Amino acid sequence: MEKLMLRDFAREIFPQCPNIPYGYNPYNPSILTLPNGNIVMNVRMTNYFYKGNFMTKTTITHHGPRYSTKNILCCYHGDDFSLLWQRPIEDCWGKYFYNRCYEHGLQDMRLFLFQGELRFIATVAMIDPEFKIWVYEGSLGLVEDLIPSTEPLYIISLYKLEGPQPDIRCEKNWLPMNLNGEQWYIYHIGKEVWLQAGEAGEIRKLAYKRSPDKVRHPFSGSSPPIPYKDGFLLLGHKVLSPPNGKGRIYKHCFIRLDSNGRVIDYSKFFSLWQLGVEYALSMTWWKGEILIPFSLNDNDIRFFVLDPCVLEILFSPIM
């Protein structure tokens, strides 16, 4: 199993993290650069954690629903990445199901901007009457209204996104992407399946398209695309079994898209920090370099800064 580690090419930084409620663990941050240069980051917090590098056991650390997710939005200064403010996100939409649901909360929120709004997509189990996991799109309001406050942020709207096969559990890792001024979702980057939302409603039915070549790449999506050269760059991943067959090992790769969003190349697979469970939900440009927040074992957050010259090495066929 290849042992290429991104930590050997990146430098680690240590920004201030938000205050985490007692009994909860931070992980899977989603980061986004605002038009004014500041950076917002959502941090997912859960009342459980996994023991062991390969994550074979789960322990509940707090009372309430068996599995609970909370989210907190942080704003950082674009120059020195100092923490400016933090506000919890009030996910009041699903309280009707809290007592009956196996887990609740907005899971793995991916932030994106569209038409002046701070929006997100997230996986949700608590709202569906059958408690299936689906993907929802929501809004936290206009970016200009994001100000320091002791009050929580309230979700302005929340819509279910219906995938290509509505009766089958959908893919979890949808990647929002603004393509030529239109909002698209990469439903499955490995199969190059794209979706576009229709009119707003209780369920947003999505237009569907697929690569005409019917390709199948060996990865799934992780981070939404960011601009890169004449196209875009994103992170993908695949999941392997460790030598003992228990748990999971995540491997990652950078993926290049052309200006139309088609996959044109992907890098060698690598680990971020360890041979085990780790995940990068997002990345952004910061002061000419790529800022990549990621989580380890679903209970710890780290930050890498990567010189874009490293990408040429990782994409090189002779490395």
Side-chain angles (χ1 to χ4, degrees):
M1 187 174 295
E2 62 264 53
K3 296 182 179 180
L4 188 62
M5 296 277 182
L6 194 65
R7 69 182 187 185
D8 295 331
F9 300 90
R11 75 177 192 275
E12 189 175 9
I13 61 172
F14 304 91
Q16 181 181 350
C17 287
N19 299 323
I20 306 300
Y22 173 76
Y24 282 80
N25 306 296
Y27 74 105
N28 283 5
S30 175
I31 201 165
L32 182 71
T33 301
L34 298 177
N36 64 4
N38 288 342
I39 294 172
V40 288
M41 181 175 73
N42 179 74
V43 176
R44 179 182 178 185
M45 304 171 290
T46 57
N47 66 339
Y48 59 90
F49 66 95
Y50 294 92
K51 291 183 178 180
N53 193 40
F54 300 127
M55 305 185 60
T56 56
K57 294 182 179 179
T58 305
T59 301
I60 305 299
T61 62
H62 197 267
H63 61 83
R66 184 170 182 184
Y67 296 114
S68 174
T69 289
K70 297 180 181 294
N71 291 279
I72 187 167
L73 188 74
C74 311
C75 184
Y76 292 88
H77 198 286
D79 290 333
D80 58 6
F81 210 50
S82 58
L83 182 62
L84 299 176
W85 54 262
Q86 59 184 46
R87 296 177 64 179
I89 295 174
E90 175 58 52
D91 56 343
C92 59
W93 291 78
K95 287 186 176 179
Y96 173 75
F97 297 108
Y98 275 10
N99 292 331
R100 302 189 298 139
C101 194
Y102 186 68
E103 56 184 307
H104 75 76
L106 298 169
Q107 304 171 19
D108 293 345
M109 293 174 62
R110 288 175 168 89
L111 303 175
F112 65 98
L113 297 174
F114 189 66
Q115 297 180 344
E117 287 185 83
L118 180 60
R119 297 190 184 183
F120 64 86
I121 57 172
T123 54
V124 179
M126 63 185 181
I127 298 175
D128 190 284
E130 298 179 3
F131 310 130
K132 297 177 182 177
I133 291 180
W134 299 106
V135 172
Y136 282 72
E137 177 196 319
S139 172
L140 295 172
L142 296 173
V143 171
E144 62 189 31
D145 293 335
L146 294 175
I147 58 175
S149 174
T150 57
E151 296 296 318
L153 278 170
Y154 287 90
I155 298 169
I156 305 301
S157 62
L158 193 65
Y159 300 103
K160 180 180 175 181
L161 301 178
E162 192 169 88
Q165 298 173 291
D167 297 330
I168 299 176
R169 175 172 169 166
C170 65
E171 293 286 336
K172 289 180 59 178
N173 298 309
W174 297 33
L175 308 179
M177 180 180 183
N178 189 305
L179 188 61
N180 300 321
E182 296 180 333
Q183 183 59 46
W184 285 86
Y185 305 92
I186 305 176
Y187 176 75
H188 195 306
I189 187 62
K191 299 177 182 178
E192 295 196 35
V193 176
W194 292 70
L195 302 173
Q196 187 176 39
E199 295 182 1
E202 183 178 353
I203 295 178
R204 289 191 175 184
K205 296 185 181 297
L206 300 171
Y208 164 85
K209 73 173 182 177
R210 183 173 179 171
S211 166
D213 300 329
K214 295 184 178 179
V215 295
R216 182 64 184 263
H217 303 296
F219 45 70
S220 297
S222 298
S223 72
I226 61 174
Y228 180 67
K229 294 188 174 180
D230 295 329
F232 303 92
L233 182 76
L234 61 102
L235 272 170
H237 75 280
K238 63 180 179 180
V239 182
L240 307 174
S241 295
N244 62 6
K246 297 180 180 180
R248 295 165 288 161
I249 293 176
Y250 281 68
K251 289 291 184 177
H252 314 268
C253 67
F254 288 103
I255 304 166
R256 286 187 59 190
L257 309 180
D258 64 18
S259 59
N260 294 315
R262 293 287 307 279
V263 175
I264 56 177
D265 195 9
Y266 60 94
S267 74
K268 297 173 180 62
F269 281 91
F270 53 83
S271 298
L272 297 170
W273 184 269
Q274 64 181 15
L275 196 64
V277 174
E278 51 183 19
Y279 198 69
L281 201 69
S282 65
M283 59 184 179
T284 190
W285 287 102
W286 181 55
K287 300 170 71 172
E289 297 181 295
I290 301 173
L291 177 61
I292 308 173
F294 63 98
S295 60
L296 296 176
N297 299 332
D298 281 3
N299 60 22
D300 187 20
I301 294 177
R302 304 287 180 91
F303 296 83
F304 276 163
V305 177
L306 188 70
D307 188 318
C309 294
V310 174
L311 296 175
E312 302 299 328
I313 300 175
L314 295 175
F315 278 102
S316 171
I318 61 174
M319 179 180 173

